[in-house]
């Protein structure tokens, strides 16, 4: 378990697949008194995810599931139920959850996406944004529904693109803003539910 259990804190699981910088940021956020969540569990779809190093170092409970089969999702659902998880935060999670899974957690799965949705859903966002000579991009926290990157938007942050930006520099700029946006969006979302 991570963070102190304030009576009203929401039991949260974070799903990751890679670097886990948003995960780290949410875990740090969850330890604040003012945070509405505490992180009870992290699931990774990738046993080589960089984020796992941080989890090991900080003795945070994590599990690995490749989410390839229905069987995996069922096991995950069982664990989430056992731990009484009320909220799932996807943070760089690269798998697509089934409609069934999403239905079971209806309205209680959030995701962060590195674009100003509804623009640039899906993968390779920064490459496409740069190719199209966009002046702005950004990040979005939204509720997950059965259509990719299409659920209700909770918050967005715009980021200005400079002429010198390439996908790598833009991704860095946006990631920095993601770390501000996700906690803010959680506060907003949970003050309404
Ligand atoms: C972030 O840009 C997130 O928006 C996207 O994947 C990236 C993950 O970064 N879905 P990290 O693993 O949180 O560092």
């Amino acid at each position: 378990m991570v963070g102190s259990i304030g009576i009203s804190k929401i039991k949260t699981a974070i799903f990751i697949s890679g670097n886990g910088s948003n995960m780290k940021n949410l875990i740090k956020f969850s330890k604040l008194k003012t945070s509405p969540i505490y992180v009870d569990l992290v699931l990774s779809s990738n046993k080589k995810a960089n984020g796992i190093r941080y989890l090991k170092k900080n003795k945070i409970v994590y599990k690995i599931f490749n989410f390839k089969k229905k069987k995996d999702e069922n096991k995950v659902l069982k664990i989430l139920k056992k731990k009484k998880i009320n909220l799932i935060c996807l943070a760089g999670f690269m798998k697509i959850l089934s409609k069934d899974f999403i239905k079971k957690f209806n309205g209680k799965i959030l995701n962060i996406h590195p674009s100003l949705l509804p623009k640039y859903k899906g993968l390779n966002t920064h490459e496409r944004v740069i190719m199209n000579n966009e002046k702005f991009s950004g990040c979005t926290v939204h509720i997950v529904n059965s259509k990719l990157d299409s659920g209700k938007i909770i918050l967005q942050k715009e980021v200005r693109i400079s002429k010198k930006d390439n996908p790598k520099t833009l991704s860095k700029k946006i990631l920095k803003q993601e770390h501000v946006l996700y906690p803010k969006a959680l506060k907003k979302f949970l003050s309404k539910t």
Side-chain angles (χ1 to χ4, degrees):
M1 192 215 29
V2 183
S4 58
I5 307 183
I7 292 167
S8 57
K9 284 199 179 191
I10 303 290
K11 281 189 122 195
T12 302
I14 302 177
F15 287 15
I16 64 163
S17 301
N19 277 330
S21 71
N22 276 292
M23 169 203 77
K24 255 190 252 175
N25 184 58
L26 288 183
I27 288 174
K28 284 187 185 151
F29 168 66
S30 77
K31 291 180 180 172
L32 302 177
K33 264 198 183 145
T34 51
S35 162
I37 61 159
Y38 73 95
V39 180
D40 210 26
L41 174 69
V42 177
L43 294 188
S44 173
S45 66
N46 169 11
K47 64 177 182 214
K48 290 184 180 153
N50 273 336
I52 291 176
R53 266 189 254 151
Y54 176 84
L55 298 170
K56 279 188 180 156
K57 205 170 141 197
N58 291 280
K59 299 193 172 60
I60 291 163
V61 179
Y62 71 93
K63 294 191 185 296
I64 294 159
F65 286 96
N66 63 23
F67 287 85
K68 272 190 187 144
K69 294 182 187 147
K70 186 94 189 124
K71 223 169 61 186
D72 299 319
E73 274 198 356
N74 288 340
K75 278 190 201 159
V76 169
L77 281 169
K78 256 192 190 165
I79 294 172
L80 297 175
K81 198 172 171 193
K82 197 171 158 204
K83 285 199 160 269
K84 298 194 169 74
I85 297 292
N86 285 314
L87 181 73
I88 298 173
C89 293
L90 307 184
F93 183 67
M94 301 306 285
K95 298 280 173 168
I96 294 180
L97 296 166
S98 74
K99 281 186 183 163
D100 269 3
F101 188 102
I102 293 168
K103 219 175 171 186
K104 289 203 171 107
F105 264 85
N106 196 14
K108 288 179 175 167
I109 308 177
L110 303 187
N111 182 40
I112 186 148
H113 184 77
S115 80
L116 293 174
L117 290 174
K119 288 176 104 180
Y120 300 102
K121 296 174 183 173
L123 296 175
N124 305 321
T125 326
H126 308 305
E127 284 80 357
R128 289 185 282 138
V129 162
I130 295 281
M131 242 175 37
N132 288 344
N133 290 316
E134 296 280 6
K135 301 272 177 297
F136 293 95
S137 187
C139 44
T140 305
V141 174
H142 66 95
I143 299 174
V144 172
N145 67 9
S146 58
K147 282 193 193 150
L148 185 69
D149 300 328
S150 298
K152 187 173 183 251
I153 291 171
I154 300 169
L155 270 185
Q156 293 188 304
K157 172 76 185 174
E158 205 174 68
V159 170
R160 184 186 283 276
I161 304 171
S162 87
K163 285 199 177 116
K164 287 182 197 154
D165 272 325
N166 56 47
K168 210 171 162 189
T169 56
L170 181 61
S171 137
K172 256 193 174 174
K173 267 189 194 173
I174 291 180
L175 197 58
K176 207 170 158 196
Q177 293 307 320
E178 289 182 37
H179 297 162
V180 180
L181 191 73
Y182 216 157
K184 261 195 190 170
L186 277 165
K187 280 190 174 172
K188 183 177 174 198
F189 176 68
L190 291 168
S191 70
K192 286 183 181 163
T193 47

